[in-house]
Amino acid sequence: VIVVDDGSEDNTPAVVATFPSVTYVRKNNGGQGSARNVGIRRARGEYLAFVDQDDHWLPRKLSRQLEEMRETGLKWVYCDADVYDAAMSTRKYRLGAAYRLYSGDVLRQLLLHNFIPSPTPVVHRDVFVDVGIFDESTSMRNREDWDMWLRIAEKYHIALVNIPLAKYRVQLESSLRLEALEQKLSSLMAVIDRAVARAPDRLAGLKARAQANACVELGRLLASRGQLAEAR
């Protein structure tokens, strides 16, 4: 277990120190992609999995997913998850009930919607050797997961454990500033552009639909917060 402290200002070092078997790595704040890459470089295991400080894994998550990988012979696997509110006190919905979850060759479906939350995949180390690590650029900030899953899905089929084995927390801001909206939309479009550029023969026909889905997603988010003009 490796804890990457991405420039926190709380008592993380003291908490981790109470677990002698856990490796603690402190770094300057650089975002999720940067933190995960530090963990990848330090890890020595055959399989890699990520869980952010605001998400949870349920018992048997890893063992059940490793069983699936060994049974299918595939190099990565994800699972269903329960989505919770910001306080982790109220279950909002099961991801698999809100979206269809796919397995096998998921590249086309994944371009249209990112249905793989960050705490759910387990990935064989060889995959990162092949496709590279997370993109740390600011243009990918908060979208580096989707970008990574698309890069992997281009080359590898994925297995699915279709039961919720993780709790995924949704943080909702009271309002989304115009600058933040433009940045989020720009990063979504950048992920789509990169994926289509890598595999034009498989994805070019879906580009406009994927872009539309991203706009609709942001519009619904803004409308749910009462920001109707921005939503339109």
Side-chain angles (χ1 to χ4, degrees):
V1 178
I2 300 171
V3 172
V4 180
D5 184 345
D6 192 40
S8 72
E9 298 178 353
D10 55 19
N11 64 334
T12 295
V15 172
V16 177
T18 66
F19 298 89
S21 62
V22 172
T23 299
Y24 174 76
V25 183
R26 170 81 179 189
K27 62 181 288 296
N28 294 328
N29 180 263
Q32 292 177 339
S34 171
R36 288 178 186 146
N37 288 341
V38 168
I40 291 172
R41 294 186 183 103
R42 289 293 296 269
R44 296 294 175 264
E46 185 177 358
Y47 304 95
L48 295 159
F50 310 93
V51 57
D52 295 334
Q53 56 89 17
D54 54 353
D55 298 324
H56 294 171
W57 283 349
L58 298 181
R60 293 201 70 238
K61 175 190 183 291
L62 295 179
S63 61
R64 181 64 189 86
Q65 289 184 285
L66 287 175
E67 290 170 4
E68 190 72 20
M69 292 177 79
R70 289 164 183 153
E71 290 173 4
T72 62
L74 298 179
K75 292 283 190 177
W76 67 317
V77 60
Y78 75 115
C79 63
D80 201 350
D82 286 322
V83 179
Y84 277 73
D85 63 6
M88 263 310 186
S89 58
T90 304
R91 177 181 179 272
K92 298 171 69 68
Y93 57 89
R94 176 177 170 178
L95 189 71
Y99 305 101
R100 181 176 175 182
L101 304 182
Y102 298 88
S103 61
D105 180 2
V106 300
L107 179 63
R108 290 171 59 84
Q109 293 91 345
L110 192 59
L111 181 73
L112 296 177
H113 175 72
N114 181 15
F115 48 83
I116 306 178
S118 60
T120 64
V122 177
V123 185
H124 196 284
R125 170 180 291 281
D126 291 349
V127 172
F128 291 107
V129 175
D130 183 15
V131 307
I133 55 179
F134 288 89
D135 191 321
E136 299 181 19
S137 63
T138 55
S139 64
M140 288 289 107
R141 186 65 63 91
N142 297 323
R143 301 291 168 268
E144 61 279 313
D145 289 343
W146 189 25
D147 176 69
M148 174 58 77
W149 311 150
L150 283 164
R151 284 156 55 195
I152 298 175
E154 185 182 338
K155 295 185 174 184
Y156 296 91
H157 289 193
I158 191 171
L160 167 65
V161 177
N162 202 14
I163 54 177
L165 295 172
K167 294 181 179 180
Y168 182 60
R169 191 192 316 239
V170 177
Q171 301 277 9
L172 290 180
E173 301 172 8
S174 58
S175 64
L176 191 62
R177 293 177 293 105
L178 181 59
E179 296 86 356
L181 170 63
E182 291 175 344
Q183 182 179 5
K184 182 171 183 178
L185 184 59
S186 175
S187 63
L188 288 169
M189 296 303 175
V191 171
I192 295 168
D193 286 343
R194 290 186 182 191
V196 173
R198 286 192 305 267
D201 55 328
R202 299 171 66 186
L203 298 179
L206 295 176
K207 183 175 181 179
R209 183 175 165 193
Q211 292 173 326
N213 286 351
C215 293
V216 170
E217 175 189 339
L218 286 184
R220 286 176 173 167
L221 175 63
L222 290 162
S224 70
R225 298 174 180 177
Q227 297 173 252
L228 300 184
E230 294 89 343
R232 283 193 294 270

